[in-house]
């Protein structure tokens, strides 16, 4: 797997605005926010994308998903929020390290663009 910017953020080689961290996940503010709150959540065990989660154990994937929920709770998004996984070319994925976008702080639109 290629070494991505998120690998470097996880290794603390480049700075990021970390909002939540535990044994399973790292959550940091997106550098180009699309909502008042926009946080990226990555698992500490790497997969290259949502479409590569089969490479991880169900236990690790489950702990990742619970980590996304814990990060959202930490952000205090009581009015609700959106979780987005961009996948591949059509999904506009730009970083080959699976990441959940947590978006909140405003009313979302539907359908998404
Ligand atoms: P995606 O397009 O789903 O792959 O999302 C990648 C996201 O990473 C984009 O929303 C970028 O704004 C964000 N991003 C890229 N570099 C950084 C960085 N150094 N720190 C925080 N977020 C970043």
């Amino acid at each position: 797997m290629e070494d991505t910017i998120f690998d470097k953020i996880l290794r603390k080689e480049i700075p990021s605005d970390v909002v939540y961290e535990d044994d399973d996940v790292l959550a940091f503010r997106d550098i180009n926010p699309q909502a008042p709150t926009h946080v990226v959540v990555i698992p500490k065990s790497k997969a290259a994308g949502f479409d590569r989660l089969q490479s991880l154990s169900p236990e690790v994937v489950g702990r990742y998903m619970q980590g996304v929920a814990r990060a959202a709770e930490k952000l205090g998004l009581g009015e609700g929020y959106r979780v987005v996984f961009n996948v591949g070319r059509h999904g506009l994925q730009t970083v080959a390290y699976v990441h959940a976008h947590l978006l909140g702080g405003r009313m979302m639109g539907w359908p998404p663009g």
Side-chain angles (χ1 to χ4, degrees):
M1 281 186 277
E2 74 175 275
D3 196 41
T4 71
I5 193 147
F6 291 173
D7 292 273
K8 295 181 174 72
I9 286 174
L10 182 59
R11 295 195 301 264
K12 311 284 164 84
E13 290 173 6
I14 62 170
S16 66
D17 186 356
V18 172
V19 295
Y20 178 77
E21 181 171 15
D22 63 24
D23 289 345
D24 304 309
V25 301
L26 182 71
F28 51 92
R29 293 197 189 279
D30 196 292
I31 206 167
N32 183 23
Q34 302 301 312
T37 299
H38 185 175
V39 163
V40 172
V41 189
I42 63 171
K44 291 192 171 177
S45 298
K46 184 179 181 180
F50 187 87
D51 54 345
R52 295 288 181 271
L53 285 178
Q54 301 92 322
S55 66
L56 302 176
S57 72
E59 168 74 12
V60 167
V61 174
R63 295 184 71 84
Y64 172 40
M65 291 302 149
Q66 291 179 335
V68 174
R70 288 192 295 273
E73 191 176 8
K74 175 78 187 303
L75 290 164
L77 298 169
E79 294 295 318
Y81 55 89
R82 183 164 287 166
V83 183
V84 174
F85 287 91
N86 293 329
V87 184
R89 189 173 70 87
H90 279 190
L92 298 181
Q93 181 181 359
T94 60
V95 179
Y97 191 129
V98 65
H99 52 282
H101 294 263
L102 273 178
L103 298 144
R106 65 165 167 80
M107 185 65 74
M108 298 293 145
W110 194 263

